[in-house]
Amino acid sequence: MAVRTSYEVVHTCGHAVTRNLSDRPADKRAAFARWLASKECTDCWKAARDGDSASKEEWLAARRAAEQQAAADWAVQFDMPALEGPEKALEWGERSRHQLVTAAYTALVTEGDTWDEADWAVLEEKIRTITRAGWWIDQRDAEGTDLPELLDAATEADRGTENPFR
C-alpha cells in the first residue's frame, strides 16, 4: 500500500484546500500537512501581506516626510547651502547630510573630549563646501567620527561653485 500524496488541509482561516504533497518525502507529508493546517491559506496570507504593505508604505512615507522636514529645518538653522544633483537625489542627500553631520557633532563635540565649539566651527565651514548630493548619499553609512577625514578626501567635483563667503 502506497503512502497517500493528497491531503485535505483546513487552514486557520477556515478555508479547506486539497494539497498534492507528492513532491515531499513520504515520511514528511503528514507532518507538513499538519503544519499547513496551522497557517492561513495562500490567498488569505497574500491578502494580509498586501494590506500590511500598504500600511508599511504609509508609515515609511510619514517617517521620510518627518526626516525630510527635520533636515530642511536643520539646513535653514545652520545656514547650509542647497545641494546640487539630480532631482531624485536632492532630498535623500539632504537627509544623509543631516544625519551624518548631527552624528559627527554628537560624537566629536558633545560626547568627545578633544573637540570644542571653535574646532566644530572650522569643520562646519568645510561641510558647507560639499554641495553634491551624491557625495552625502555615498557617505550615509559612515561613522560621525570619520567626517573630518571624509571632508578632506572630497574632490573639487564634490564642492559647489557658489561663493564660499556667503
Side-chain angles (χ1 to χ4, degrees):
M1 181 166 170
V3 176
R4 70 181 190 168
T5 59
S6 183
Y7 287 82
E8 181 77 17
V9 178
V10 179
H11 293 279
T12 57
C13 59
H15 294 115
V17 178
T18 302
R19 293 284 308 253
N20 179 358
L21 300 180
S22 61
D23 59 339
R24 303 237 172 232
D27 62 338
K28 306 234 187 260
R29 292 176 191 156
F32 187 68
R34 279 191 305 274
W35 179 82
L36 285 173
S38 70
K39 308 294 178 204
E40 292 181 331
C41 71
T42 303
D43 292 338
C44 290
W45 176 79
K46 285 181 180 179
R49 184 190 65 185
D50 292 344
D52 285 347
S53 81
S55 64
K56 186 187 305 181
E57 289 172 11
E58 290 172 5
W59 174 83
L60 185 58
R63 180 170 175 186
R64 284 276 156 74
E67 288 175 352
Q68 192 62 43
Q69 186 60 48
D73 293 345
W74 173 86
V76 169
Q77 180 182 358
F78 292 101
D79 197 25
M80 292 292 156
L83 296 180
E84 302 164 351
E87 188 68 32
K88 293 175 86 173
L90 294 179
E91 289 184 354
W92 190 12
E94 289 174 1
R95 287 191 311 271
S96 298
R97 174 176 66 178
H98 173 247
Q99 291 166 353
L100 180 57
V101 173
T102 55
Y105 184 83
T106 300
L108 298 172
V109 179
T110 307
E111 296 173 354
D113 56 356
T114 58
W115 282 64
D116 61 12
E117 290 295 330
D119 295 327
W120 181 257
V122 171
L123 186 68
E124 197 171 282
E125 288 305 317
K126 284 185 180 180
I127 291 167
R128 285 187 182 94
T129 65
I130 307 298
T131 58
R132 189 173 70 84
W135 189 88
W136 291 103
I137 293 168
D138 290 345
Q139 312 315 318
R140 69 185 177 272
D141 294 326
E143 297 291 326
T145 54
D146 295 338
L147 184 58
E149 186 177 348
L150 293 170
L151 290 169
D152 289 340
T155 65
E156 287 303 313
D158 301 317
R159 300 183 195 289
T161 55
E162 292 295 318
N163 181 357
F165 300 107
R166 295 182 273 138

